[in-house]
Amino acid sequence: MSSQAVFILKFLALITLFNLSFASTTSFELLRYHNGALLHGKIAVNLIWYGRFTPSQRAIVADFITSLSASSQSNAQPSVATWWKTTEKYYNLPNSKKNPSTLSLYLGKQLLDEDYSLGKSLSEKQIEQLASKGDLKNAINIVLTASDVAVEGFCVNRCGTHGSKNALVNGKNNKFAYIWVGNSETQCPGYCAWPFHQPIYGPQSPPLIAPNNDLGLDGMVMNLGGLLVGTATNPFGNGYYQGPSEAPLEAASACPGVFGKGAYPGYAGNLLVDPTTGGSYNAHGANGRKYLLPAIFDPTTSKCSTLV
């Protein structure tokens, strides 16, 4: 399917979602459950760094993954862990009763590929190849590509993606989940790092200051957050989503551009601002980090849920 066709399908599904949401005064199921398995138990989140990243850049993402766990929850609120708890509501819905209701993510391995082993222009199959370097069971393998790496579809119709892949583990067929997200700083910051950069179209409001002072990495965390939510609630393509399976609206992508209350096109919402750095954020994380994370569609209220 062409990128234009995928965009049209997503656009039509999004209009349908918003129309249903605004027309309803009661809670009902907008993201339909497709009877598939959800992730459960302890799941390692492995980071596969493709290209050049500094140690401080890698720490921004690693601290974000660590922040997802309630055990590492910052005393400061609102927190990353509180944001993540909205995904648990999908596990506790009546039609998810055959799925265990516990999911615990923890930071697993970090693998470095600083020599661009597959070159600087990657296909979807090569992304899957890189993702296969992580654990093949009880894992989410995240491929993070550097700012000088081109990826099929990157900056055209996506900033990242998630999926699953079959693997043979101890002679048994198994599926593992994977995510890819790219650093858009030099390629398309207006497409993949808004609101830390002026958008490529629409209202041209001044960009916000990135909370970790790194437009590329803060943008990656923002997109990675939404993809992790999609992975938790639709890991194998038959979980919670609306619309066609090849262009699904999921728990985070159903709330595009919403980061705080009062959000509208071109305005991210009412956010917190660090008085020292001027960085805009909505979640506290481990090691004193601050992050900007997308709204999550709450299945119990049929609304986009924000921390602030």
Side-chain angles (χ1 to χ4, degrees), residues 214-226:
D214 191 315
L215 180 152
L217 268 292
D218 278 302
M220 290 183 85
V221 168
M222 187 173 62
N223 294 318
L224 174 57

Side-chain angles (χ1 to χ4, degrees), residues 137 160 189 212 238 250 272 275 289:
K137 187 178 182 181
N212 294 288
N238 53 8
E250 299 177 322
L272 302 173
R289 295 281 185 191

Side-chain angles (χ1 to χ4, degrees), residues 97-154:
K97 61 186 177 183
K98 64 182 178 182
N99 292 297
S101 59
T102 58
L103 171 63
S104 175
L105 303 183
Y106 67 94
L107 180 62
K109 304 172 183 175
Q110 295 198 58
L111 307 175
L112 307 184
D113 188 338
E114 297 181 307
D115 296 325
Y116 305 89
S117 63
L118 298 178
K120 291 188 176 182
S121 181
L122 303 179
S123 66
E124 182 67 34
K125 285 190 175 181
Q126 288 175 311
I127 291 294
E128 292 181 357
Q129 183 180 340
L130 290 169
S132 298
K133 292 184 176 183
D135 296 332
L136 303 181
K137 187 178 182 181
N138 298 326
I140 300 172
N141 296 331
I142 300 175
V143 178
L144 304 107
T145 50
S147 60
D148 57 349
V149 177
V151 177
E152 181 182 347
F154 187 39

Side-chain angles (χ1 to χ4, degrees), residues 44-62:
V45 178
N46 301 309
L47 305 179
I48 300 157
W49 299 93
Y50 189 82
R52 304 290 174 85
F53 292 89
T54 66
S56 60
Q57 288 180 318
R58 296 197 296 268
I60 292 171
V61 177

Side-chain angles (χ1 to χ4, degrees), residues 49-87:
W49 299 93
Y50 189 82
R52 304 290 174 85
F53 292 89
T54 66
S56 60
Q57 288 180 318
R58 296 197 296 268
I60 292 171
V61 177
D63 285 343
F64 168 63
I65 299 302
T66 300
S67 303
L68 294 168
S69 170
S71 63
S72 63
Q73 186 171 351
S74 168
N75 290 327
Q77 291 292 332
S79 70
V80 174
T82 301
W83 170 81
W84 182 249
K85 285 184 77 67
T86 301
T87 62

Side-chain angles (χ1 to χ4, degrees), residues 146-187:
S147 60
D148 57 349
V149 177
V151 177
E152 181 182 347
F154 187 39
C155 296
V156 177
N157 61 358
R158 60 182 185 167
C159 303
T161 191
H162 78 89
S164 62
K165 184 172 172 57
N166 292 314
L168 201 61
V169 180
N170 297 325
K172 295 182 179 179
N173 288 323
N174 189 65
K175 272 189 175 181
F176 70 90
Y178 72 87
I179 292 172
W180 157 71
V181 64
N183 184 340
S184 67
E185 182 172 14
T186 60
Q187 297 185 54

Side-chain angles (χ1 to χ4, degrees), residues 257-301:
V258 179
F259 297 92
K261 289 180 175 61
Y264 55 82
Y267 177 61
N270 300 320
L271 305 177
L272 302 173
V273 178
D274 188 304
T276 302
T277 66
S280 294
Y281 68 100
N282 59 9
H284 293 269
N287 297 320
R289 295 281 185 191
K290 296 178 176 69
Y291 298 104
L292 184 63
L293 302 175
I296 301 174
F297 188 81
D298 187 329
T300 64
T301 65

